[in-house]
């Protein structure tokens, strides 16, 4: 049985307490994606401003009541401490995601093994395989082309590939958006307000 009330409680809690409503709505999207099995895991973070209102124990309790697993970890992002959280349907997947991010954080940007690790993380986050391959095999030394910039501007969540954008959107984005329309409509309304981004 789908826990409609549990999803609404998460939605309300994040929208009420996070500093940026669009960021909160994107966090809701990830939670919805994990809850409905569209993606195995998700990672997000609470900013220092968020933590003025967010109670981590309360948030973890809301996540666990949905039947999901959660782990927290403090990490430095752009010289600012943020509170990362990892969620998934299984503790094993949550640990795998944490372990991969530990490796990523300790790795130089140009490390030869970085594309492979990026690929592992992308698949753990449930991104379509074609999008993961595109991201890991892109030429990092080149500036973003106008076509890539346009594609990036009209999509959320991850870097879509040029050849499979619509298929990837149907496989991942649209499924999460439909679930949000039905079960977390306030968060959906916030994201749909940006008319430059695709919704369905």
């Amino acid at each position: 049985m789908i826990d409609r009330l549990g999803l609404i409680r998460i939605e309300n809690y994040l929208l009420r307490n996070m500093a940026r409503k669009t960021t909160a709505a994107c966090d809701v999207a990830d939670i919805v994606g994990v809850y409905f099995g569209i993606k195995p895991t998700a990672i997000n973070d609470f900013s220092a401003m968020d933590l003025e209102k967010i109670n981590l124990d309360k948030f973890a309790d809301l996540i666990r009541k949905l039947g999901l697993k959660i782990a927290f970890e403090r990490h430095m992002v752009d010289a600012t401490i943020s509170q990362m959280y990892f969620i998934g349907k299984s503790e094993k997947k949550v640990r795998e995601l944490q372990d991969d991010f530990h490796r990523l954080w300790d790795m130089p940007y140009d490390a030869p093994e970085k594309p492979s690790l990026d690929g592992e993380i992308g698949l753990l986050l449930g991104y379509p395989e074609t999008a993961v391959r595109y991201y890991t095999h892109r030429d990092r030394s080149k500036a973003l082309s106008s076509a890539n910039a346009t594609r990036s501007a009209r999509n959320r969540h991850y870097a879509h590939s040029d050849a499979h954008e619509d298929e990837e959107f149907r496989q991942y984005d649209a499924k999460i958006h439909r679930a949000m329309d039905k079960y977390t409509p306030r968060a959906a309304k916030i994201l749909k307000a940006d008319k430059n981004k695709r919704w369905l």
Side-chain angles (χ1 to χ4, degrees):
M1 181 182 294
I2 293 170
D3 187 355
R4 291 172 176 263
L5 183 57
L7 290 167
I8 290 293
R9 283 172 175 156
I10 283 280
E11 176 189 44
N12 288 343
Y13 189 75
L14 292 179
L15 291 178
R16 185 170 63 247
N17 293 302
M18 288 184 71
R20 297 178 182 275
K21 300 312 174 193
T22 300
T23 303
C26 286
D27 282 22
V28 171
D30 275 332
I31 293 165
V32 166
V34 173
Y35 181 79
F36 285 101
I38 299 164
K39 53 190 287 142
T41 65
I43 177 174
N44 280 301
D45 69 282
F46 293 129
S47 69
M49 193 176 296
D50 293 332
L51 292 172
E52 293 176 7
K53 292 187 175 181
I54 293 283
N55 180 301
L56 296 180
D57 289 336
K58 170 69 172 175
F59 176 69
D61 184 56
L62 290 171
I63 289 290
R64 292 182 182 119
K65 283 180 177 176
L66 285 176
L68 304 179
K69 310 300 180 185
I70 186 168
F72 290 106
E73 187 163 334
R74 286 191 175 273
H75 182 67
M76 183 76 76
V77 178
D78 296 330
T80 303
I81 292 290
S82 78
Q83 182 70 61
M84 316 295 296
Y85 68 89
F86 305 78
I87 63 169
K89 282 206 167 181
S90 77
E91 289 182 6
K92 179 176 181 291
K93 290 295 184 185
V94 169
R95 283 196 303 271
E96 285 180 22
L97 187 63
Q98 273 189 289
D99 290 346
D100 278 354
F101 267 92
H102 287 162
R103 290 167 56 203
L104 184 67
W105 291 332
D106 292 338
M107 186 179 291
Y109 179 78
D110 58 354
E113 63 271 32
K114 188 174 186 298
S116 175
L117 181 57
D118 283 341
E120 286 181 31
I121 290 172
L123 293 176
L124 265 177
L125 293 172
Y127 302 149
E129 289 186 25
T130 51
V132 171
R133 284 199 301 272
Y134 161 76
Y135 182 81
T136 56
H137 290 90
R138 75 196 190 286
D139 187 342
R140 297 164 190 257
S141 66
K142 292 183 178 178
L144 197 64
S145 71
S146 59
N148 285 348
T150 300
R151 190 167 61 251
S152 178
R154 67 174 170 251
N155 292 300
R156 293 189 189 275
H157 310 303
Y158 60 94
H160 295 65
S161 69
D162 52 355
H164 303 280
E165 177 188 357
D166 290 339
E167 180 183 342
E168 292 159 2
F169 187 88
R170 288 191 297 270
Q171 180 182 338
Y172 181 99
D173 309 55
K175 288 181 180 179
I176 290 177
H177 296 168
R178 285 192 184 95
M180 291 180 72
D181 274 335
K182 189 170 184 179
Y183 298 105
T184 56
R186 289 178 62 212
K189 184 177 180 180
I190 289 168
L191 296 185
K192 284 194 288 188
D194 184 349
K195 300 304 182 185
N196 293 319
K197 299 288 187 183
R198 300 173 77 187
W199 185 251
L200 292 177

